[in-house]
Amino acid sequence: MVKNKSEEELFLEKYDKEKYEKISVAVDLLVFTVENDELKLLVIKRNEMPYKDYLALPGVFVGVDESLEEAVKRGIREETGVENIYFEQLYTWGEVDRDPRMRIISVSYMALVPLESLRMRVGMRVSEVLLMSVDELLEQKDKIGFDHGKIIEYARERLRNKVEYSKIAFELVPKEFTLPQLQRIYEIILGHPLYKANFRKKISEMICQTDRYTSGNAHRPSQYYRLKE
Amino acid sequence: MVKNKSEEELFLEKYDKEKYEKISVAVDLLVFTVENDELKLLVIKRNEMPYKDYLALPGVFVGVDESLEEAVKRGIREETGVENIYFEQLYTWGEVDRDPRMRIISVSYMALVPLESLRMRVGMRVSEVLLMSVDELLEQKDKIGFDHGKIIEYARERLRNKVEYSKIAFELVPKEFTLPQLQRIYEIILGHPLYKANFRKKISEMICQTDRYTSGNAHRPSQYYRLKE
DNA sequence: ATAGTTAGTAGTGAATAAATACTAACAATT
DNA sequence: AATTGTTAGTATTTATTCACTACTAACTAT
């Protein structure tokens, strides 16, 4: 990584080691999905101090030779077993005392995964992994360790905003989906109902229809669509 | 900062020091202002390797006992001499080789300051501080060191988006301002002209008028306003 | 056949945004 | 003292989007 040894040495002469001791950097993961008409988040039940028996976000430390994105992918793989899912950076939390053990700066990332793709992996994890309703989580923030309650709120807010002007909601449905299904995702994230006709008008440019329909339901079947491009 | 020594020791047994060596964290500052009807950014001309004679963003390392915000305030003070200006976190850049000297993760912050408040301080800085047009900067990205060209683009995009749905533009004018002056700020950030009547309607709820007017100009005087609350 | 249920479309009035055209008020010039 | 140039500010018109109602369509179960 260091391309020029003398450059580094030159630099380090001025880099005051007393004052600017290096810092541990972690990524915290907010893996969202929708289950039973609820927005859910992957959390772990801690079985160690500090915050033993509290809920917390999964996370991993960032290695010196590892980019933030690489750490995120590794973390998602370790916690869920899934690969190639959508994620984006949220915010970086840097209060000095946010972890009582040591100074840790945490870069939070939000990941979205359709429930169908999310298959829990037992693995050799030390902590229990749970899918919990975001609403319920935020109602009992005293059960959440560290500053993770604040981070979850921040993420929900970002998700709510972003669903209005981006295609992010498509990350929570399979490649082929019906419009009532997609509309439910929007409504669950936004927390209020939408008008069918307006909803369809708005997303009509983003989608293209397939020739497949639902079947077996005691009502008119709905057509499957997919995201354009 | 460490509240429980035994907790820390326990933790460190499991914390693999080989793999998760700590990392240097810096904050990079994007100090924007408007001068001569142009959006301008505070940059430094580097006089050291690497990227000697290139342009770069000012930045400071984050101390172990210093929050990110504290580092930002210190950085802004060191580079500009001003205090108490608006800033917000932008994004965290974590590619492994983004700095050839060593692994540095950088948290970028955008600050906005009215030109009137911005008084350059000579100080004992090693590098030259410049106010440069953002458009010009982005036209010659090969003159910009590190990954800072990308960061500047990201910041300009964020500023453009945010000016549409927030009160952020008010951070670039004095406490009392005229509407033509404020509209110019919007137009400069957005990069296109706005319709006067629509502009005024839109911001009318955010502002309240004063009883003062401009004078001395060979045309109708304009009224001074201030941000509501 | 019909009742129940959800899928999907048409259309209306209200609010918001885009655009044009105007009037108002000053200083400098004639 | 009237006129001109210039920018400040308002009125109005048209187009687009949003909130909402009301309808038709298509399936299963009875």
Side-chain angles (χ1 to χ4, degrees):
Chain A
M1 201 210 67
V2 172
K3 281 165 183 158
N4 190 329
K5 198 63 183 170
S6 68
E7 253 177 34
E8 191 197 9
E9 284 165 358
L10 208 77
F11 177 65
L12 289 178
E13 285 170 21
K14 292 182 183 157
Y15 182 80
D16 183 343
K17 289 204 191 74
E18 296 294 317
K19 214 167 157 189
Y20 299 119
E21 197 184 321
K22 295 175 183 179
I23 296 173
S24 296
V25 179
V27 291
D28 281 334
L29 306 174
L30 293 109
V31 181
F32 287 102
T33 193
V34 169
E35 183 183 42
N36 300 331
D37 279 356
E38 281 187 311
L39 182 65
K40 299 211 169 165
L41 181 67
L42 195 88
V43 291
I44 60 175
K45 182 99 173 230
R46 288 185 59 81
N47 57 10
E48 286 175 355
M49 293 295 287
Y51 292 106
K52 184 162 159 44
D53 300 323
Y54 281 68
L55 299 169
L57 296 171
V60 296
F61 283 100
V62 178
V64 261
D65 291 322
E66 181 184 49
S67 74
L68 293 170
E69 278 79 8
E70 284 163 2
V72 171
K73 284 177 190 162
R74 178 167 60 84
I76 293 173
R77 203 181 326 116
E78 284 175 11
E79 303 293 344
T80 70
V82 297
E83 308 253 5
N84 296 325
I85 64 172
Y86 174 84
F87 65 86
E88 66 172 63
Q89 192 185 107
L90 280 178
Y91 197 79
T92 298
W93 310 85
E95 287 305 307
V96 171
D97 57 357
R98 52 181 299 282
D99 191 308
R101 295 166 297 192
M102 61 191 286
R103 176 74 193 275
I104 301 178
I105 286 177
S106 152
V107 187
S108 53
Y109 278 81
M110 165 170 83
L112 302 181
V113 51
L115 186 65
E116 295 75 23
S117 316
L118 190 60
R119 290 289 159 259
M120 298 292 182
R121 200 177 63 160
V122 275
M124 61 253 115
R125 304 200 74 275
V126 280
S127 319
E128 194 185 348
V129 176
L130 308 163
L131 266 191
M132 281 193 59
S133 152
V134 174
D135 285 336
E136 281 171 32
L137 269 172
L138 292 178
E139 274 162 22
Q140 31 181 327
K141 282 223 290 279
D142 53 315
K143 302 264 171 61
I144 304 173
F146 306 103
D147 53 359
H148 292 183
K150 194 166 62 175
I151 298 178
I152 294 168
E153 252 176 0
Y154 185 91
R156 207 238 315 240
E157 200 54 32
R158 173 82 138 262
L159 185 54
R160 281 204 171 146
N161 289 332
K162 199 141 185 184
V163 82
E164 306 236 47
Y165 66 86
S166 79
K167 300 181 175 175
I168 206 171
F170 292 90
E171 302 294 341
L172 288 168
V173 291
K175 268 183 288 295
E176 297 206 344
F177 50 84
T178 67
L179 296 190
Q181 185 183 0
L182 185 64
Q183 186 175 342
R184 280 304 293 143
I185 300 284
Y186 272 82
E187 291 173 336
I188 289 161
I189 293 174
L190 291 171
H192 61 81
L194 298 173
Y195 293 96
K196 201 170 19 167
N198 293 343
F199 175 76
R200 282 159 185 259
K201 236 178 272 168
K202 199 186 236 164
I203 63 156
S204 61
E205 311 94 45
M206 302 188 216
I207 56 176
C208 49
Q209 54 187 10
T210 70
D211 51 3
R212 306 200 313 114
Y213 289 81
T214 57
S215 65
N217 300 314
H219 53 77
R220 176 171 174 177
S222 60
Q223 192 167 10
Y224 282 102
Y225 288 80
R226 51 172 62 223
L227 187 57
K228 207 170 265 179
E229 281 144 311
Chain B
M1 199 212 62
V2 171
K3 282 167 182 158
N4 189 330
K5 197 65 182 169
S6 67
E7 252 178 31
E8 192 196 8
E9 283 164 359
L10 209 77
F11 177 66
L12 288 178
E13 284 170 21
K14 293 180 183 159
Y15 183 81
D16 183 342
K17 289 204 191 75
E18 296 292 317
K19 215 170 155 189
Y20 299 117
E21 195 185 319
K22 294 177 183 179
I23 295 172
S24 297
V25 179
V27 292
D28 281 333
L29 307 174
L30 294 107
V31 182
F32 287 101
T33 194
V34 169
E35 183 183 43
N36 300 331
D37 278 357
E38 281 188 310
L39 181 66
K40 298 210 172 166
L41 181 66
L42 197 86
V43 290
I44 59 174
K45 181 97 173 236
R46 289 185 59 79
N47 57 11
E48 284 175 357
M49 292 295 286
Y51 292 108
K52 181 162 159 46
D53 298 326
Y54 280 67
L55 299 169
L57 295 171
V60 297
F61 282 101
V62 178
V64 261
D65 292 320
E66 181 184 49
S67 74
L68 293 171
E69 278 78 9
E70 284 163 1
V72 171
K73 284 176 190 163
R74 178 167 59 82
I76 292 173
R77 203 181 326 115
E78 283 176 10
E79 303 293 343
T80 70
V82 297
E83 308 252 6
N84 297 325
I85 63 172
Y86 173 84
F87 65 86
E88 66 173 60
Q89 192 185 106
L90 280 178
Y91 197 80
T92 298
W93 309 85
E95 288 304 308
V96 172
D97 57 358
R98 52 182 299 283
D99 191 309
R101 295 166 297 192
M102 60 189 291
R103 177 74 194 273
I104 301 178
I105 285 176
S106 153
V107 187
S108 53
Y109 278 81
M110 165 170 83
L112 302 181
V113 51
L115 185 64
E116 295 75 23
S117 315
L118 192 59
R119 290 287 161 258
M120 299 294 180
R121 198 175 64 160
V122 275
M124 61 252 116
R125 304 199 74 274
V126 279
S127 319
E128 192 185 347
V129 176
L130 307 163
L131 266 190
M132 280 193 61
S133 152
V134 174
D135 284 335
E136 280 171 34
L137 269 172
L138 292 177
E139 274 162 23
Q140 32 181 324
K141 281 224 289 281
D142 53 315
K143 302 264 172 61
I144 304 172
F146 306 104
D147 53 0
H148 293 185
K150 194 165 60 177
I151 299 178
I152 294 169
E153 252 175 1
Y154 185 91
R156 209 242 310 243
E157 200 55 31
R158 172 82 137 262
L159 185 55
R160 281 202 172 148
N161 290 331
K162 199 139 187 188
V163 82
E164 307 235 45
Y165 65 85
S166 78
K167 300 181 176 175
I168 206 172
F170 292 89
E171 303 293 342
L172 288 168
V173 292
K175 268 183 287 298
E176 298 208 341
F177 51 85
T178 66
L179 296 190
Q181 184 184 1
L182 185 65
Q183 185 174 343
R184 279 306 291 144
I185 300 284
Y186 273 82
E187 292 173 336
I188 289 161
I189 293 174
L190 291 172
H192 61 79
L194 298 173
Y195 293 97
K196 201 174 12 171
N198 295 339
F199 175 76
R200 281 159 184 258
K201 235 178 273 170
K202 197 186 238 163
I203 63 158
S204 60
E205 310 93 48
M206 303 188 215
I207 56 175
C208 49
Q209 55 187 13
T210 70
D211 52 2
R212 307 200 313 114
Y213 289 82
T214 57
S215 64
N217 300 313
H219 54 77
R220 177 171 173 177
S222 59
Q223 193 167 8
Y224 281 102
Y225 289 79
R226 50 173 63 223
L227 188 56
K228 207 171 265 179
E229 282 144 312

